[in-house]
Amino acid sequence: MNPSPPAWPVQPGPSQPKNGRLRAAWTLALLTTLCAELTYTAVAVTITWLLPLLLVMYGAGVLVIREAVVRVGAGWPSLVVLGVAYQVAED
């Protein structure tokens, strides 16, 4: 009788190198800021010097929400609920 490897707990290996995850986080933070502010012209193009400050505000929120959903293992509905809660708290 051959012993089979344990089914639980399995330590997942990194699916991407650390550099790739960092790049994905920066991309998510940048796209969130640009979509939220420049798409609806909430920030005039002449005062785009505010974008680094807005990047901190939006980027931190979106990364916390994403990390919470990933760590809990929740799906899209939880992501939407947390996003709406973040928007209400931010306003």
Side-chain angles (χ1 to χ4, degrees):
M1 183 170 183
N2 292 333
S4 62
W8 183 262
V10 175
Q11 297 295 326
S15 60
Q16 295 178 344
K18 189 172 188 164
N19 197 14
R21 288 183 286 190
L22 186 62
R23 187 177 303 142
W26 275 106
T27 303
L28 180 64
L30 283 170
L31 284 177
T32 302
T33 304
L34 291 175
C35 289
E37 293 298 325
L38 295 181
T39 309
Y40 298 108
T41 63
V43 173
V45 176
T46 58
I47 56 172
T48 54
W49 59 272
L50 280 175
L51 285 179
L53 298 173
L54 295 171
L55 176 68
V56 172
M57 183 177 72
Y58 287 115
V62 75
L63 290 176
V64 166
I65 290 171
R66 183 209 174 268
E67 193 65 27
V69 170
V70 168
R71 290 202 183 222
V72 172
W76 283 100
S78 297
L79 183 70
V80 171
V81 167
L82 285 174
V84 169
Y86 174 70
Q87 179 63 36
V88 169
E90 186 181 284
D91 285 343

